[in-house]
Amino acid sequence: MGTTSASPSSSCCVAVATLAERRLLCNGMERKMEENTVRDVETESEAGGEDALVGNVNKLTVNPPGFSGNPRKGHLVFDACFESGNLGRVDYISEFEFDLFIRPDTCNPRFRVWFNFTVENVRETQRVIFNVVNFSKTKSLYRDGMSPVVKSTSRPKWQRLPAKNVYYYRCPDHRRNYVMSFAFCFDREDDVYQFAYCYPYTYSRLQHYLAGLERRNLPYLQREQLGLSVQQRRLDLLTITNTGRLRSLVHRNET
């Protein structure tokens, strides 16, 4: 996005330069840490330090330290209280930089990968660096050119951030966790921006799609409820086969 609908490119040169310098500083430390034992790596992944995060941020205004009064333009408001949202904590580092902590997978605190959140109350041309500081994966496609996706209220189509603005590295400042940092420039003050690990596909969207298939009465498809998840959500079993075999399966289930 940035100054055009494509991405925060030229207007984010300062932020990108800062990211590049940090990445170079971390390189030496990262190589040394990669030499540790497998057990040490597994321990740090489990002890990401964010297991205590409970619930997503809900219209959280992040003000500078010591600030009081009504939030001003540029005091970012973060939200992840929506389906598929994930952001448990935001730390203010500077006017241009924020540390983001993602919540672990349900019932499995060792895995911390997904993020999806919105940002609003931005200032036009405001440049930021977001650091997602508690990833649990030692390897990521972010190192091979993948980048997060972003959209906004005036541009609702998901777009990938430029790979040159994204860095994935192991950081000694964050318990040796893996950090994904990216630079971005907000260009429209009235927009709400949404960032995600990759293109979200929600449970509700899946159920809507499966219900549509079921209504079509396709002769080669059968949908059954296999059970319920821990959170009491429907778990579907889909059988896709030739028509004759599907009829025999239906008959067998009915008898």
Side-chain angles (χ1 to χ4, degrees):
M1 293 180 179
T3 54
T4 69
S5 62
S7 60
S9 52
S10 58
S11 56
C12 277
C13 288
V14 175
V16 172
T18 302
L19 280 177
E21 291 171 1
R22 179 183 307 162
R23 184 67 182 89
L24 289 173
L25 289 173
C26 285
N27 268 341
M29 289 295 296
E30 185 175 4
R31 281 193 293 269
K32 290 180 180 179
M33 290 186 290
E34 292 290 355
E35 297 171 359
N36 291 336
T37 62
V38 174
R39 181 186 175 190
D40 187 33
V41 172
E42 290 177 348
T43 301
E44 79 191 47
S45 295
E46 292 182 32
E50 317 315 325
D51 298 352
L53 293 176
V54 178
N56 285 316
V57 296
N58 184 8
K59 296 295 183 181
L60 172 68
T61 302
V62 181
N63 294 320
F67 178 85
S68 60
N70 294 325
R72 300 173 182 172
K73 271 291 184 184
H75 292 178
L76 302 184
V77 177
F78 293 82
D79 185 48
C81 278
F82 51 86
E83 187 176 14
S84 83
N86 186 11
L87 182 63
R89 181 177 127 199
V90 180
D91 287 356
Y92 179 97
I93 304 302
S94 72
E95 181 183 358
F96 307 102
E97 186 170 6
F98 301 83
D99 281 356
L100 312 180
F101 296 81
I102 54 180
R103 297 167 57 235
D105 287 358
T106 302
C107 302
N108 198 335
R110 290 184 58 187
F111 294 98
R112 301 176 304 278
V113 175
W114 176 257
F115 63 84
N116 187 5
F117 61 92
T118 64
V119 180
E120 56 187 295
N121 196 42
V122 306
R123 193 174 62 247
E124 188 175 350
T125 72
Q126 181 178 2
R127 295 185 295 271
V128 295
I129 296 174
F130 290 144
N131 307 308
V132 183
V133 301
N134 63 334
F135 276 104
S136 61
K137 291 184 68 175
T138 57
K139 296 180 181 179
S140 172
L141 290 176
Y142 285 139
R143 282 185 158 176
D144 297 315
M146 189 176 104
S147 60
V149 293
V150 60
K151 68 177 182 177
S152 70
T153 46
S154 66
R155 287 157 293 191
K157 185 177 179 180
W158 288 106
Q159 303 174 55
R160 286 205 180 274
L161 298 177
K164 66 180 180 180
N165 293 0
V166 180
Y167 295 84
Y168 191 84
Y169 54 97
R170 200 173 183 187
C171 185
D173 296 334
H174 293 287
R175 293 181 150 192
R176 300 189 303 173
N177 283 321
Y178 281 82
V179 174
M180 191 275 291
S181 299
F182 63 92
F184 190 81
C185 183
F186 299 107
D187 60 350
R188 299 186 183 179
E189 292 193 351
D190 296 329
D191 271 14
V192 177
Y193 294 80
Q194 185 172 351
F195 301 90
Y197 178 86
C198 61
Y199 303 106
Y201 191 86
T202 63
Y203 175 82
S204 293
R205 184 177 175 185
L206 172 64
Q207 290 299 305
H208 179 75
Y209 174 71
L210 294 179
L213 288 179
E214 195 172 28
R215 285 193 297 270
R216 292 169 63 183
N217 292 319
L218 299 172
Y220 50 81
L221 172 68
Q222 182 182 19
R223 179 191 185 196
E224 301 173 82
Q225 181 173 315
L226 186 63
L228 297 174
S229 71
V230 173
Q231 297 178 332
Q232 299 303 299
R233 293 189 174 93
R234 175 185 173 120
L235 300 176
D236 286 288
L237 171 64
L238 298 183
T239 303
I240 302 173
T241 186
N242 64 66
T243 305
R245 180 168 176 78
L246 187 59
R247 285 180 186 149
S248 65
L249 287 173
V250 171
H251 177 73
R252 186 171 63 187
N253 289 337
E254 290 176 350
T255 58

